[in-house]
Amino acid sequence: MPVIEVTKLHKRYGDLVAVDDVSFAVEAGEIFGVLGPNGAGKTTTVECVAGLRVPDGGGVSVLGLDPRRDAAQLRQRVGVQLQESQLPDRLRVAEALELYASFYRNPADPATLIDKLGLGDKRNTAYKLLSGGQKQRLSIALALVGNPEIAILDELTTGLDPQARRDTWGLIEQVRDSGVTIVLVTHFMEEAERLCDRVAVIDRGRVVALDSPAGMVSTVAPQQRIRFRPSAPVDDRLLTDLPEVSAVQRTGSQVVVTGTGELLHAVTSVLARHQIVAADLRLEQSTLDDAFVELTGHRPAN
Amino acid sequence: MHAFRNILRIEARLYLRDLPTLLTTVGLPTLILVVLGLVPALRKPDPTFDGQTFVSYFAPSLLVVTLAMVGVNMLPSVLATYRERGVLRRLATTPAHPAALLAAQLVLALAGILASALLLILVARLAFGVPFPRHPLGFTLAFILGTAALLALGLLVAAVARTAKAAQALAVPLFLVVMFFGGVYLPRFLLPDFVARIGDYTPPGVQALLDAWTGTPPQPLHLGIMAVIAVAAGAGAAKLFRWE
Ligand SMILES: Nc1ncnc2c1ncn2[C@@H]1O[C@H](COP(=O)(O)OP(=O)(O)OP(=O)(O)O)[C@@H](O)[C@H]1O
Ligand SMILES: [Mg+2]
């Protein structure tokens, strides 16, 4: 039973079609990624799910409820981190969290959350004086302070340094392990690969792929590459005869084999049969980056 | 209600944190009063002012200062800034409605206006012998309606302006108009008569305040116009206001 169901969502701003036709379902307890180039309609989609924008067509159901009609109920149960949203300059970290906690029936403990997000020594700092990454962490904390069943996080780690990003991933995994369903909009393929159980790639208002990160890579960009230095001369044909191999190249003493499927197993077995040792062997697999480029024709922002 | 109380408490704290602005807002009219009151000639009864002192005659115009600063300047700029920076929108994702934040801002604006007026009336009475408003009911009514008209105009500015910059661009001329017709820049007896008459109907309606302060009941037309402005601007603001 999915906790979020989006069917044939359509949303336009005047003449501009921001979301053309988007459908997906998010299962309870998963981390669901929404990827796509700038302006693809990601924010518009998740804000329709959050009940902040009214769709022009299609349906959205969250926890079996309607985000507009049952807004009051859903606001207790869904935490949202908006892509662009600030706080008053003079508001302090602890004040913001305590205030937001007071809106919910079963809030998380603000002090614990502050520590978890590494804002412990900033609890009495005014919002204006926080660094970009600290503001971002506060924003994540505000989305989680109501102990939501679903957290919608738009651009979770944009603006964070690599260490803070990894810490935040750890936090999100903890949140997921506590049973929260997470919808994550991101531009970072590494983040999606590490965190997401499934991802939807949206391009120009449509879902162009929906799969697990690994599944998406293997269907969209299945090419693998093996490099090694053979201990004895290898006849190219030995390798090209393998069904998994699509090409063999040589650079100096190095052999580069490109192919799909169980490429590594096939190549190493045939070499072993001929008593050839593969030194400096490296396997290069496609990543979600490659799949993203294949799907959208855009380089992911990094 | 619970959310509103907590928001009000926090927003009040934010104002207290900006002490210089707070002191100016509440204390400026009284400061001007004291400076003028130190000039002996302005404390002498004068036939130009029906035998009152200049200080008594000018006190209602000083009330306009805080009303204008808070109503048409601070209120719209705070609300437009909150909207521009997504504060209202973020609140809309929680069980608290952004209207609670708007209501808190209105309450604080009223508190500032009230504190400033009480301080002015008290200091005028104690230091310069300006009597308390002689027609208390009329004065209260004129003050409430004038304040309501200005706050409603402030809300209208906040509703129409999409950004904080745009709010400033609208608020500044409105502020100057209110101050000018309120007789703050030039005491009204120096203004041409028709300009002074326009001032009678410009929020907050300084003539009605002066009448009630010195003893005659305010004219119903003066009060009525303020009520009409308050309702019209308030309705316009309610219709046009956007949380994002
Ligand atoms: N409130 C709005 N009014 C008009 N157009 C809008 C509005 N919000 C978004 N758009 C337009 O709709 C399209 C989709 O925007 P959206 O914010 O959903 O994209 P996104 O995928 O989140 O992009 P990004 O990765 O840059 O955050 C864009 O062309 C954008 O300019
Ligand atoms: Mg976006």
Side-chain angles (χ1 to χ4, degrees), chain A residues 228-245:
Chain A
F228 62 92
R229 272 173 226 288
S231 59
V234 189
D235 187 352
D236 271 9
R237 265 200 323 230
L238 211 59
L239 298 168
T240 47
D241 282 349
L242 294 169
E244 288 87 355
V245 173

Side-chain angles (χ1 to χ4, degrees), chain A residues 47 75 86 90 95 102, chain B residues 13 17 85 89 92 94:
Chain A
E47 291 192 354
R75 285 195 195 108
Q86 294 172 287
R90 290 193 191 79
E95 281 173 346
S102 77
Chain B
R13 230 188 264 170
R17 238 163 241 169
R85 305 184 69 190
R89 198 146 189 274
T94 73

Side-chain angles (χ1 to χ4, degrees), chain B residues 79 82-83 86-92 98 101 241-243:
Chain B
L79 290 177
Y82 277 4
R83 178 175 43 215
V87 175
L88 299 176
R89 198 146 189 274
R90 186 200 293 269
L91 214 49
L101 183 50
F241 201 89
R242 294 281 171 270
W243 302 112

Side-chain angles (χ1 to χ4, degrees), chain B residues 148-149 151-153 155-156 159 227-241:
Chain B
L151 291 179
L153 282 176
L155 288 178
L156 187 59
V228 168
I229 293 175
V231 170
K239 197 167 155 54
L240 298 174
F241 201 89

Side-chain angles (χ1 to χ4, degrees), chain A residues 132-162:
Chain A
Q134 290 160 351
K135 287 179 182 169
Q136 182 75 5
R137 277 183 261 170
L138 176 56
S139 179
I140 297 169
L142 291 178
L144 299 176
V145 76
N147 262 334
E149 291 164 54
I150 298 176
I152 297 174
L153 307 168
D154 196 352
E155 310 241 330
L156 175 70
T157 60
T158 304
L160 296 188
D161 65 42

Side-chain angles (χ1 to χ4, degrees), chain A residues 42-43 83 154-155:
Chain A
K42 304 180 296 294
T43 296
Q83 184 177 0
D154 196 352
E155 310 241 330

